[in-house]
Amino acid sequence: KAGVTQTPRYLIKTRGQQVTLSCSPISGHRSVSWYQQTPGQGLQFLFEYFSETQRNKGNFPGRFSGRQFSNSRSEMNVSTLELGDSALYLCASSLEAGGFNEQFFGPGTRLTVL
Amino acid sequence: GENVEQHPSTLSVQEGDSAVIKCTYSDSASNYFPWYKQELGKGPQLIIDIRSNVGEKKDQRIAVTLNKTAKHFSLHITETQPEDSAVYFCAATLGNKLTFGGGTRVLVKP
């Protein structure tokens, strides 16, 4: 079975721009969660989607948004980029929602904001 | 608020020795506690998990213990090897989402 894939792997943007990251979950997994990983803050939960619905949301500003498609693929968007948005963005897929099942992580997208 | 505290932040051990990482959590309703290993340039990978109805779980050189009363759980790695060098994260389900500890950077010296 193919693992979780994320595209692109690396991205460089400037302040004020917006960015869209993509995540393809493991086949059969309906839940996709997104995390931001930074050296100072560790792994921070952004949001979780299940069956095209946002099920849970972390403490991030409204500039961070996401969606999920009928094939369970998910995208997250960050608008009006700030320097502090530079981070590794990880997505994880699981069979069910709620954080009670094993989550399989992708390799991440490294976003650098200049 | 809901959080998971993890200690130590760095751990250096001699090859063959044991390594222990400890985590505490805030929500007594938490019932799922996974441990992840993250190697450089990769996403975290689950190495072992435990649910609240179990006090201990082992998988070869790795074991996890859970004390629900004290709200803490620990990862034990025995007979450490250089390939165990990585960052380890504990996590707990808090409020229907996984909340991660701050991570422990483990260095196994040959």
Side-chain angles (χ1 to χ4, degrees), chain A residues 73-99:
Chain A
R73 190 177 69 85
S74 177
E75 289 180 348
M76 68 162 281
N77 183 277
V78 188
S79 63
T80 319
L81 284 166
E82 300 177 359
L83 294 179
D85 297 333
S86 294
L88 181 67
Y89 290 88
L90 293 159
C91 82
S93 76
S94 60
L95 283 170
E96 299 293 335

PDB file of all heavy atoms in Angstrom, chain A residues 73-99:
ATOM      1  N   ARG A  73      -8.508  13.071  -0.544  1.00  0.00           N
ATOM      2  CA  ARG A  73      -7.347  13.967  -0.654  1.00  0.00           C
ATOM      3  C   ARG A  73      -7.677  15.292   0.015  1.00  0.00           C
ATOM      4  O   ARG A  73      -8.839  15.712   0.025  1.00  0.00           O
ATOM      5  CB  ARG A  73      -6.994  14.192  -2.126  1.00  0.00           C
ATOM      6  CG  ARG A  73      -5.668  14.919  -2.350  1.00  0.00           C
ATOM      7  CD  ARG A  73      -5.356  15.034  -3.846  1.00  0.00           C
ATOM      8  NE  ARG A  73      -6.258  15.947  -4.539  1.00  0.00           N
ATOM      9  CZ  ARG A  73      -6.092  17.252  -4.609  1.00  0.00           C
ATOM     10  NH1 ARG A  73      -5.054  17.823  -4.013  1.00  0.00           N
ATOM     11  NH2 ARG A  73      -6.951  18.002  -5.263  1.00  0.00           N
ATOM     12  N   SER A  74      -6.666  15.911   0.566  1.00  0.00           N
ATOM     13  CA  SER A  74      -6.903  17.145   1.305  1.00  0.00           C
ATOM     14  C   SER A  74      -5.913  18.219   0.877  1.00  0.00           C
ATOM     15  O   SER A  74      -4.795  17.923   0.433  1.00  0.00           O
ATOM     16  CB  SER A  74      -6.785  16.890   2.813  1.00  0.00           C
ATOM     17  OG  SER A  74      -6.942  18.087   3.553  1.00  0.00           O
ATOM     18  N   GLU A  75      -6.336  19.420   0.991  1.00  0.00           N
ATOM     19  CA  GLU A  75      -5.460  20.566   0.753  1.00  0.00           C
ATOM     20  C   GLU A  75      -5.559  21.515   1.943  1.00  0.00           C
ATOM     21  O   GLU A  75      -6.607  21.606   2.583  1.00  0.00           O
ATOM     22  CB  GLU A  75      -5.888  21.344  -0.507  1.00  0.00           C
ATOM     23  CG  GLU A  75      -5.625  20.630  -1.811  1.00  0.00           C
ATOM     24  CD  GLU A  75      -6.069  21.451  -3.020  1.00  0.00           C
ATOM     25  OE1 GLU A  75      -6.784  22.459  -2.852  1.00  0.00           O
ATOM     26  OE2 GLU A  75      -5.690  21.063  -4.136  1.00  0.00           O
ATOM     27  N   MET A  76      -4.453  22.192   2.229  1.00  0.00           N
ATOM     28  CA  MET A  76      -4.524  23.276   3.191  1.00  0.00           C
ATOM     29  C   MET A  76      -3.981  24.535   2.522  1.00  0.00           C
ATOM     30  O   MET A  76      -3.104  24.473   1.654  1.00  0.00           O
ATOM     31  CB  MET A  76      -3.774  22.974   4.481  1.00  0.00           C
ATOM     32  CG  MET A  76      -2.277  22.882   4.389  1.00  0.00           C
ATOM     33  SD  MET A  76      -1.515  23.033   6.030  1.00  0.00           S
ATOM     34  CE  MET A  76      -1.598  24.807   6.278  1.00  0.00           C
ATOM     35  N   ASN A  77      -4.542  25.636   2.897  1.00  0.00           N
ATOM     36  CA  ASN A  77      -4.193  26.921   2.305  1.00  0.00           C
ATOM     37  C   ASN A  77      -3.787  27.882   3.414  1.00  0.00           C
ATOM     38  O   ASN A  77      -4.416  27.914   4.481  1.00  0.00           O
ATOM     39  CB  ASN A  77      -5.396  27.476   1.528  1.00  0.00           C
ATOM     40  CG  ASN A  77      -5.068  28.765   0.825  1.00  0.00           C
ATOM     41  OD1 ASN A  77      -5.115  29.830   1.416  1.00  0.00           O
ATOM     42  ND2 ASN A  77      -4.715  28.671  -0.444  1.00  0.00           N
ATOM     43  N   VAL A  78      -2.747  28.622   3.155  1.00  0.00           N
ATOM     44  CA  VAL A  78      -2.347  29.685   4.069  1.00  0.00           C
ATOM     45  C   VAL A  78      -2.318  30.982   3.269  1.00  0.00           C
ATOM     46  O   VAL A  78      -1.607  31.081   2.257  1.00  0.00           O
ATOM     47  CB  VAL A  78      -0.966  29.450   4.704  1.00  0.00           C
ATOM     48  CG1 VAL A  78      -0.713  30.487   5.797  1.00  0.00           C
ATOM     49  CG2 VAL A  78      -0.854  28.042   5.271  1.00  0.00           C
ATOM     50  N   SER A  79      -3.106  31.947   3.689  1.00  0.00           N
ATOM     51  CA  SER A  79      -3.148  33.220   2.977  1.00  0.00           C
ATOM     52  C   SER A  79      -2.315  34.263   3.723  1.00  0.00           C
ATOM     53  O   SER A  79      -2.006  34.096   4.906  1.00  0.00           O
ATOM     54  CB  SER A  79      -4.594  33.688   2.841  1.00  0.00           C
ATOM     55  OG  SER A  79      -5.150  33.911   4.122  1.00  0.00           O
ATOM     56  N   THR A  80      -1.967  35.319   3.023  1.00  0.00           N
ATOM     57  CA  THR A  80      -1.214  36.435   3.602  1.00  0.00           C
ATOM     58  C   THR A  80      -0.070  35.917   4.478  1.00  0.00           C
ATOM     59  O   THR A  80      -0.016  36.132   5.697  1.00  0.00           O
ATOM     60  CB  THR A  80      -2.136  37.341   4.439  1.00  0.00           C
ATOM     61  OG1 THR A  80      -3.391  37.511   3.779  1.00  0.00           O
ATOM     62  CG2 THR A  80      -1.488  38.710   4.608  1.00  0.00           C
ATOM     63  N   LEU A  81       0.847  35.208   3.864  1.00  0.00           N
ATOM     64  CA  LEU A  81       1.923  34.553   4.583  1.00  0.00           C
ATOM     65  C   LEU A  81       2.739  35.530   5.429  1.00  0.00           C
ATOM     66  O   LEU A  81       2.999  36.674   5.032  1.00  0.00           O
ATOM     67  CB  LEU A  81       2.849  33.836   3.600  1.00  0.00           C
ATOM     68  CG  LEU A  81       2.318  32.523   3.028  1.00  0.00           C
ATOM     69  CD1 LEU A  81       3.159  32.088   1.834  1.00  0.00           C
ATOM     70  CD2 LEU A  81       2.301  31.448   4.098  1.00  0.00           C
ATOM     71  N   GLU A  82       3.122  35.032   6.599  1.00  0.00           N
ATOM     72  CA  GLU A  82       3.994  35.780   7.510  1.00  0.00           C
ATOM     73  C   GLU A  82       5.285  34.982   7.701  1.00  0.00           C
ATOM     74  O   GLU A  82       5.319  33.765   7.485  1.00  0.00           O
ATOM     75  CB  GLU A  82       3.294  35.980   8.859  1.00  0.00           C
ATOM     76  CG  GLU A  82       1.988  36.745   8.757  1.00  0.00           C
ATOM     77  CD  GLU A  82       1.285  36.856  10.100  1.00  0.00           C
ATOM     78  OE1 GLU A  82       1.807  36.311  11.098  1.00  0.00           O
ATOM     79  OE2 GLU A  82       0.201  37.481  10.153  1.00  0.00           O
ATOM     80  N   LEU A  83       6.333  35.685   8.155  1.00  0.00           N
ATOM     81  CA  LEU A  83       7.615  35.011   8.362  1.00  0.00           C
ATOM     82  C   LEU A  83       7.467  33.831   9.317  1.00  0.00           C
ATOM     83  O   LEU A  83       8.083  32.778   9.138  1.00  0.00           O
ATOM     84  CB  LEU A  83       8.656  35.996   8.909  1.00  0.00           C
ATOM     85  CG  LEU A  83       9.079  37.134   7.986  1.00  0.00           C
ATOM     86  CD1 LEU A  83      10.088  38.037   8.689  1.00  0.00           C
ATOM     87  CD2 LEU A  83       9.660  36.599   6.682  1.00  0.00           C
ATOM     88  N   GLY A  84       6.621  34.000  10.311  1.00  0.00           N
ATOM     89  CA  GLY A  84       6.420  32.964  11.312  1.00  0.00           C
ATOM     90  C   GLY A  84       5.713  31.727  10.804  1.00  0.00           C
ATOM     91  O   GLY A  84       5.608  30.736  11.532  1.00  0.00           O
ATOM     92  N   ASP A  85       5.234  31.761   9.583  1.00  0.00           N
ATOM     93  CA  ASP A  85       4.575  30.585   8.996  1.00  0.00           C
ATOM     94  C   ASP A  85       5.598  29.599   8.446  1.00  0.00           C
ATOM     95  O   ASP A  85       5.229  28.496   8.033  1.00  0.00           O
ATOM     96  CB  ASP A  85       3.618  31.006   7.882  1.00  0.00           C
ATOM     97  CG  ASP A  85       2.484  31.868   8.387  1.00  0.00           C
ATOM     98  OD1 ASP A  85       2.120  31.743   9.574  1.00  0.00           O
ATOM     99  OD2 ASP A  85       1.956  32.682   7.594  1.00  0.00           O
ATOM    100  N   SER A  86       6.860  29.984   8.435  1.00  0.00           N
ATOM    101  CA  SER A  86       7.900  29.065   7.979  1.00  0.00           C
ATOM    102  C   SER A  86       7.922  27.850   8.906  1.00  0.00           C
ATOM    103  O   SER A  86       8.078  27.989  10.122  1.00  0.00           O
ATOM    104  CB  SER A  86       9.269  29.749   7.995  1.00  0.00           C
ATOM    105  OG  SER A  86       9.321  30.792   7.054  1.00  0.00           O
ATOM    106  N   ALA A  87       7.756  26.689   8.323  1.00  0.00           N
ATOM    107  CA  ALA A  87       7.628  25.480   9.135  1.00  0.00           C
ATOM    108  C   ALA A  87       7.576  24.268   8.231  1.00  0.00           C
ATOM    109  O   ALA A  87       7.508  24.385   7.006  1.00  0.00           O
ATOM    110  CB  ALA A  87       6.359  25.530   9.989  1.00  0.00           C
ATOM    111  N   LEU A  88       7.599  23.091   8.871  1.00  0.00           N
ATOM    112  CA  LEU A  88       7.317  21.842   8.181  1.00  0.00           C
ATOM    113  C   LEU A  88       5.838  21.535   8.406  1.00  0.00           C
ATOM    114  O   LEU A  88       5.393  21.474   9.550  1.00  0.00           O
ATOM    115  CB  LEU A  88       8.182  20.713   8.733  1.00  0.00           C
ATOM    116  CG  LEU A  88       8.008  19.337   8.096  1.00  0.00           C
ATOM    117  CD1 LEU A  88       8.507  19.338   6.646  1.00  0.00           C
ATOM    118  CD2 LEU A  88       8.739  18.265   8.899  1.00  0.00           C
ATOM    119  N   TYR A  89       5.098  21.388   7.330  1.00  0.00           N
ATOM    120  CA  TYR A  89       3.675  21.077   7.442  1.00  0.00           C
ATOM    121  C   TYR A  89       3.478  19.595   7.138  1.00  0.00           C
ATOM    122  O   TYR A  89       3.805  19.111   6.059  1.00  0.00           O
ATOM    123  CB  TYR A  89       2.852  21.962   6.500  1.00  0.00           C
ATOM    124  CG  TYR A  89       2.844  23.398   6.990  1.00  0.00           C
ATOM    125  CD1 TYR A  89       3.850  24.283   6.611  1.00  0.00           C
ATOM    126  CD2 TYR A  89       1.860  23.830   7.874  1.00  0.00           C
ATOM    127  CE1 TYR A  89       3.863  25.584   7.098  1.00  0.00           C
ATOM    128  CE2 TYR A  89       1.866  25.128   8.358  1.00  0.00           C
ATOM    129  CZ  TYR A  89       2.879  26.001   7.974  1.00  0.00           C
ATOM    130  OH  TYR A  89       2.894  27.280   8.464  1.00  0.00           O
ATOM    131  N   LEU A  90       2.937  18.916   8.116  1.00  0.00           N
ATOM    132  CA  LEU A  90       2.754  17.468   8.026  1.00  0.00           C
ATOM    133  C   LEU A  90       1.282  17.134   7.929  1.00  0.00           C
ATOM    134  O   LEU A  90       0.450  17.752   8.604  1.00  0.00           O
ATOM    135  CB  LEU A  90       3.330  16.788   9.267  1.00  0.00           C
ATOM    136  CG  LEU A  90       4.842  16.862   9.452  1.00  0.00           C
ATOM    137  CD1 LEU A  90       5.211  16.636  10.911  1.00  0.00           C
ATOM    138  CD2 LEU A  90       5.534  15.829   8.575  1.00  0.00           C
ATOM    139  N   CYS A  91       0.965  16.172   7.107  1.00  0.00           N
ATOM    140  CA  CYS A  91      -0.388  15.651   7.156  1.00  0.00           C
ATOM    141  C   CYS A  91      -0.315  14.190   7.576  1.00  0.00           C
ATOM    142  O   CYS A  91       0.714  13.520   7.390  1.00  0.00           O
ATOM    143  CB  CYS A  91      -1.130  15.821   5.837  1.00  0.00           C
ATOM    144  SG  CYS A  91      -0.795  14.587   4.593  1.00  0.00           S
ATOM    145  N   ALA A  92      -1.375  13.731   8.172  1.00  0.00           N
ATOM    146  CA  ALA A  92      -1.444  12.359   8.647  1.00  0.00           C
ATOM    147  C   ALA A  92      -2.813  11.799   8.316  1.00  0.00           C
ATOM    148  O   ALA A  92      -3.822  12.509   8.433  1.00  0.00           O
ATOM    149  CB  ALA A  92      -1.212  12.296  10.152  1.00  0.00           C
ATOM    150  N   SER A  93      -2.853  10.551   7.891  1.00  0.00           N
ATOM    151  CA  SER A  93      -4.143   9.946   7.596  1.00  0.00           C
ATOM    152  C   SER A  93      -4.422   8.802   8.558  1.00  0.00           C
ATOM    153  O   SER A  93      -3.507   8.181   9.114  1.00  0.00           O
ATOM    154  CB  SER A  93      -4.207   9.456   6.142  1.00  0.00           C
ATOM    155  OG  SER A  93      -3.485   8.252   5.946  1.00  0.00           O
ATOM    156  N   SER A  94      -5.694   8.548   8.786  1.00  0.00           N
ATOM    157  CA  SER A  94      -6.111   7.430   9.622  1.00  0.00           C
ATOM    158  C   SER A  94      -7.470   6.936   9.143  1.00  0.00           C
ATOM    159  O   SER A  94      -8.158   7.606   8.378  1.00  0.00           O
ATOM    160  CB  SER A  94      -6.169   7.832  11.099  1.00  0.00           C
ATOM    161  OG  SER A  94      -7.089   8.874  11.299  1.00  0.00           O
ATOM    162  N   LEU A  95      -7.825   5.765   9.623  1.00  0.00           N
ATOM    163  CA  LEU A  95      -9.085   5.161   9.179  1.00  0.00           C
ATOM    164  C   LEU A  95     -10.292   5.958   9.666  1.00  0.00           C
ATOM    165  O   LEU A  95     -11.242   6.188   8.924  1.00  0.00           O
ATOM    166  CB  LEU A  95      -9.177   3.728   9.701  1.00  0.00           C
ATOM    167  CG  LEU A  95      -8.339   2.700   8.950  1.00  0.00           C
ATOM    168  CD1 LEU A  95      -8.326   1.379   9.724  1.00  0.00           C
ATOM    169  CD2 LEU A  95      -8.861   2.475   7.539  1.00  0.00           C
ATOM    170  N   GLU A  96     -10.228   6.362  10.928  1.00  0.00           N
ATOM    171  CA  GLU A  96     -11.349   7.072  11.514  1.00  0.00           C
ATOM    172  C   GLU A  96     -10.889   8.395  12.103  1.00  0.00           C
ATOM    173  O   GLU A  96      -9.689   8.624  12.284  1.00  0.00           O
ATOM    174  CB  GLU A  96     -11.994   6.214  12.620  1.00  0.00           C
ATOM    175  CG  GLU A  96     -12.558   4.876  12.149  1.00  0.00           C
ATOM    176  CD  GLU A  96     -13.756   5.031  11.227  1.00  0.00           C
ATOM    177  OE1 GLU A  96     -14.437   6.072  11.306  1.00  0.00           O
ATOM    178  OE2 GLU A  96     -14.000   4.104  10.427  1.00  0.00           O
ATOM    179  N   ALA A  97     -11.828   9.246  12.422  1.00  0.00           N
ATOM    180  CA  ALA A  97     -11.518  10.567  12.974  1.00  0.00           C
ATOM    181  C   ALA A  97     -11.397  10.501  14.497  1.00  0.00           C
ATOM    182  O   ALA A  97     -11.728   9.493  15.116  1.00  0.00           O
ATOM    183  CB  ALA A  97     -12.620  11.549  12.583  1.00  0.00           C
ATOM    184  N   GLY A  98     -10.932  11.585  15.070  1.00  0.00           N
ATOM    185  CA  GLY A  98     -10.953  11.727  16.515  1.00  0.00           C
ATOM    186  C   GLY A  98      -9.652  11.493  17.240  1.00  0.00           C
ATOM    187  O   GLY A  98      -9.581  11.661  18.445  1.00  0.00           O
ATOM    188  N   GLY A  99      -8.610  11.110  16.523  1.00  0.00           N
ATOM    189  CA  GLY A  99      -7.316  10.948  17.179  1.00  0.00           C
ATOM    190  C   GLY A  99      -7.175   9.697  18.004  1.00  0.00           C
ATOM    191  O   GLY A  99      -6.245   9.583  18.806  1.00  0.00           O
TER     192      GLY A  99
END
